[in-house]
Amino acid sequence: MRFRPCIDLHAGMVKQIVGATLSDDATGHPQTNFQAEKPAAWFADRYRQDHLTGGHVIQLGPGNAEAARSALASWPGGLQIGGGVNIDNAADWLDAGASHVIVTSWVFHDGRIRMERLKQLTRKIGKTRLVLDLSCRRRGDAYLVATDRWQTFTSEAVTYALMDRLAVCCDEFLIHAVDVEGRCAGIETDLVAYLGGWQGLPVTYAGGIASQADIDRIESLGSGNIDFTVGSALDIFGGHGLRYAELAKRYGPSDRPDQVDV
């Protein structure tokens, strides 16, 4: 199990936002837990120093391209990029330094999976450069994939059958539990337990992690096979539940050199 760092961008700044409060309404203001004084490149450089690969930069809406490119330039090949990625710009983001592009809305279009779009994208950039974002929200007993900055439910539920079907076209899955994203109130245990029973590609879970106990539960439910991302609970994002330096040391690469905490 690995710690995957993150850089969430909103209006060009590094923020931690309660995911379910995002909106396309120009007059709306998402609930923000943290807004960084430091730029995106600072966080990317910190992850580079600690040799943490496979983290993700997520653009939550427009106005984030410059900050995203600066982060990728600071840790070339070490970060993935998501938010507004499609077949027309995916290769440009890879050229800008992303190890992978993360895609949801372009593939889950008009409420359902568009396999031809997915196959076109895979042919263009290669399976090993693509992460599919299956971030989801609970409806009844199902977890439905959510698109458009997690505002729109699709008809596609996160199931083993769906993951098996998509796995031939991608390298990893990223799954935010949107209903608990940014709330520091605990993980979606049913979702994590379900993901832990799938045998396939690497899976990264995000959402609700508040303490080491939550991480331990992910490890137990996922049999050590599910990677994790921490946002609002992390000290570098203004949180008090978890220390970045400790997670980087414990769940980073075994050959990571010791770093001085900030």
Side-chain angles (χ1 to χ4, degrees):
M1 185 169 74
R2 292 193 295 158
F3 167 46
R4 304 283 198 109
C6 66
I7 301 173
D8 291 347
L9 297 171
H10 183 260
M13 304 186 73
V14 177
K15 298 182 182 180
Q16 285 296 313
I17 288 174
V18 177
T21 67
L22 283 165
S23 172
D24 284 334
D25 184 351
T27 63
H29 297 284
Q31 183 179 333
T32 301
N33 293 335
F34 172 80
Q35 180 172 304
E37 295 180 359
K38 296 180 174 67
W42 182 91
F43 292 91
D45 188 61
R46 182 68 193 272
Y47 304 156
R48 179 189 60 78
Q49 292 178 49
D50 290 326
H51 297 261
L52 294 176
T53 58
H56 50 271
V57 180
I58 301 295
Q59 303 176 89
L60 299 171
N64 294 303
E66 182 178 351
R69 288 182 180 276
S70 72
L72 297 178
S74 293
W75 190 193
L79 292 166
Q80 305 167 359
I81 181 74
V85 177
N86 57 47
I87 198 167
D88 295 322
N89 61 23
D92 292 338
W93 283 116
L94 295 174
D95 291 342
S99 66
H100 298 68
V101 293
I102 305 168
V103 176
T104 311
S105 298
W106 195 80
V107 168
F108 289 86
H109 189 66
D110 291 337
R112 63 184 180 86
I113 182 69
R114 302 287 181 163
M115 287 301 297
E116 185 51 40
R117 282 190 167 205
L118 176 56
K119 291 175 182 178
Q120 289 174 0
L121 184 58
T122 302
R123 286 194 294 267
K124 184 166 185 175
I125 65 171
K127 175 184 187 296
T128 60
R129 307 298 298 275
L130 177 61
V131 175
L132 287 180
D133 186 340
L134 302 184
S135 294
C136 54
R137 306 184 72 169
R138 189 164 194 159
R139 177 168 284 179
D141 293 330
Y143 287 94
L144 300 182
V145 175
T147 63
D148 304 320
R149 290 172 294 286
W150 307 324
Q151 299 170 84
T152 304
F153 282 96
T154 72
S155 60
E156 304 285 355
V158 176
T159 63
Y160 297 156
L162 177 67
M163 296 172 77
D164 287 341
R165 183 183 179 196
L166 300 178
V168 298
C169 294
C170 67
D171 200 40
E172 299 180 10
F173 292 113
L174 171 63
I175 302 180
H176 290 81
V178 178
D179 292 326
V180 297
E181 174 70 16
R183 298 189 184 278
C184 294
I187 63 172
E188 280 273 12
T189 53
D190 291 346
L191 176 61
V192 173
Y194 186 77
L195 295 174
W198 186 67
Q199 301 296 316
L201 300 178
V203 173
T204 299
Y205 169 85
I209 297 174
S211 66
Q212 183 63 46
D214 288 323
I215 297 172
D216 293 342
R217 199 164 194 189
I218 293 171
E219 185 168 21
S220 175
L221 293 170
S223 301
N225 295 321
I226 299 176
D227 293 342
F228 66 94
T229 290
V230 182
S232 296
L234 207 57
D235 58 349
I236 62 171
F237 297 131
H240 303 286
L242 290 158
R243 290 176 59 80
Y244 164 82
E246 293 175 359
L247 295 186
K249 183 176 182 179
R250 182 172 180 180
Y251 299 102
S254 58
D255 60 349
R256 170 188 175 271
D258 288 336
Q259 298 291 330
V260 177
D261 193 12
V262 294

